[in-house]
Amino acid sequence: MPILKHRLLRLVALARRYPGVIAAFGFVSGVASFFLVDRHEGFARIIALVMLLGWVWLVLERMLSEMLLDRFGLRLPAPVLRYATQLIHQESLFFALPFFLASTSWNSGQAVFTGGLIVAALVALIDPIYYRRLAPRRWLFLTYHTLTLFVVLLVAMPLILQLPTARSYELALGIAVLLAFPSLLGSITVPRWWRGVLVVGLMGALAATGWLARLWVPPATLRLTDVALASRIDDAQRAPADSLAEIDAAQLAAQGLYAYTAISAPLGLQERVQHVWLHEGREIDRIALDIRGGRKEGYRAWTHKQRFPENPAGRWQVRVLTGDEQMIGTLRFRVSGMPAGG
């Protein structure tokens, strides 16, 4: 056992001496996992499982440390535990970040969420900020810890369990809130009889915030690979025959308009998505579609809208949403003029 302890301490000393190596490893392995997911189904699930096992260690860290001490007389040095936690944060964020970068609608509130993930990943790489600014502030570290677990679950659960995005979001939020319980309990120092009530209240607030914020959270395992608004669809090619940014009201009334989307979902995921048509910010129509992932180019689907308001002129959007309202992307176009007889 002294040999094992000596090697652990030596490993920590090397990590302190070459901190950039660990940071680079976390970044490269995270980005590599994103590209490997689309190519190797089995490897994708292994990566996701490793990420979740790392979080099991963090949740059970104290208990496992006590078991090592009781059974083998080995006490893990505090620096080893700190570096293990930091490494798991690095690996988790850089594993999840490429998925969110690819699926973010940058002209929406999702840019705020993904921007926050970028900042969180950089914090995990910069030791002075991580250890001196983040770690000593218990409430801030708990928030950081819970966010990191949440984003890992959002990516890992669809890959491992083949769950739809909406279901994955619900489970990821529930698990993250549940696993935050021990940390919340240890962070609150009010009198004992108040502590339970306050912890339950905070967990409820955390769950409510996560649920209301789902519109700003990109669907990590779904992304648009092609979009178009077209006057007709080439059925043989399953592709739009043209691409429009503006259409005349008379043509719109005569032909209608197709909203074409190709949605990539890795490993054959099955999803129900919606095309939501909005005119000047007001919802006009909502059409549901079932998609099946697996094609690198994305699953191709379209809706054909033929009934429009009497005066359709102005700005239009077609929002592509998951079943629980997470935004996959947005198409925008403008209608000019008035329909015949208007």
Side-chain angles (χ1 to χ4, degrees):
M1 289 305 161
I3 296 176
L4 178 58
K5 185 175 182 179
H6 173 73
R7 288 179 177 175
L8 286 173
L9 290 173
R10 187 176 180 183
L11 183 62
V12 170
L14 287 172
R16 285 177 171 175
R17 188 174 180 181
Y18 304 105
V21 174
I22 294 179
F25 175 76
F27 174 75
V28 172
S29 62
V31 174
S33 67
F34 171 76
F35 292 102
L36 289 170
V37 161
D38 283 336
R39 294 164 175 80
H40 301 287
E41 179 174 342
F43 190 73
R45 293 199 173 102
I46 290 172
I47 293 173
L49 280 170
V50 169
M51 291 294 106
L52 293 184
L53 287 174
W55 279 94
V56 170
W57 157 257
L58 287 184
V59 172
L60 303 177
E61 174 190 309
R62 181 173 296 180
M63 185 182 72
L64 294 175
S65 298
E66 290 176 355
M67 286 177 57
L68 285 173
L69 181 62
D70 292 341
R71 296 194 61 181
F72 303 106
L74 175 63
R75 183 185 297 277
L76 292 177
V80 172
L81 298 176
R82 288 199 301 269
Y83 273 101
T85 302
Q86 183 187 17
L87 182 60
I88 290 172
H89 283 155
Q90 288 177 0
E91 286 294 312
S92 298
L93 288 166
F94 282 110
F95 164 70
L97 189 56
F99 289 90
F100 286 98
L101 289 172
S103 61
T104 295
S105 296
W106 294 101
N107 56 356
S108 72
Q110 291 180 353
V112 176
F113 181 87
T114 304
L117 286 189
I118 294 172
V119 172
L122 292 175
V123 166
L125 294 181
I126 304 171
D127 287 357
I129 297 178
Y130 185 86
Y131 287 111
R132 298 176 190 173
R133 302 292 182 182
L134 177 67
R137 292 168 172 81
R138 184 70 179 174
W139 69 270
L140 187 59
F141 189 76
L142 169 62
T143 303
Y144 183 88
H145 192 72
T146 304
L147 174 65
T148 306
L149 171 60
F150 177 57
V151 298
V152 167
L153 289 171
L154 285 179
V155 176
M157 292 183 72
L159 299 179
I160 297 172
L161 303 178
Q162 297 286 281
L163 294 175
T165 303
R167 184 63 174 157
S168 295
Y169 191 93
E170 295 169 2
L171 287 176
L173 180 60
I175 292 171
V177 170
L178 183 63
L179 293 183
F181 176 78
S183 298
L184 280 173
L185 193 62
S187 301
I188 295 174
T189 57
V190 299
R192 191 182 191 93
W193 62 280
W194 269 107
R195 189 179 302 174
V197 175
L198 189 54
V199 167
V200 171
L202 287 173
M203 290 177 66
L206 187 62
T209 301
W211 182 251
L212 293 174
R214 71 190 185 279
L215 300 179
W216 286 27
V217 179
T221 52
L222 297 177
R223 62 183 184 274
L224 288 176
T225 56
D226 193 13
V227 295
L229 291 155
S231 59
R232 65 185 183 88
I233 295 290
D234 185 334
D235 291 328
Q237 299 294 325
R238 291 182 59 83
D242 51 14
S243 181
L244 305 172
E246 185 169 346
I247 186 171
D248 183 79
Q251 181 184 358
L252 185 70
Q255 299 179 346
L257 192 64
Y258 290 90
Y260 170 89
T261 54
I263 302 173
S264 175
L267 311 185
L269 298 183
Q270 297 185 50
E271 296 281 345
R272 167 154 285 200
V273 301
Q274 305 172 78
H275 282 183
V276 181
W277 295 72
L278 298 101
H279 178 220
E280 298 292 347
R282 183 171 66 90
E283 183 175 325
I284 300 298
D285 203 356
R286 183 178 293 245
I287 306 172
L289 298 164
D290 290 315
I291 68 166
R292 178 184 292 273
R295 290 182 74 252
K296 182 180 178 182
E297 298 82 4
Y299 184 90
R300 296 169 291 186
W302 55 85
T303 55
H304 184 201
K305 183 165 176 57
Q306 295 176 291
R307 299 180 63 181
F308 288 86
E310 290 185 7
N311 181 12
R315 297 171 301 167
W316 283 79
Q317 292 182 36
V318 181
R319 291 181 182 171
V320 187
L321 306 178
T322 66
D324 67 343
E325 307 286 315
Q326 284 181 275
M327 188 187 302
I328 306 173
T330 305
L331 299 85
R332 290 180 169 83
F333 66 100
R334 179 177 288 276
V335 176
S336 59
M338 291 285 289

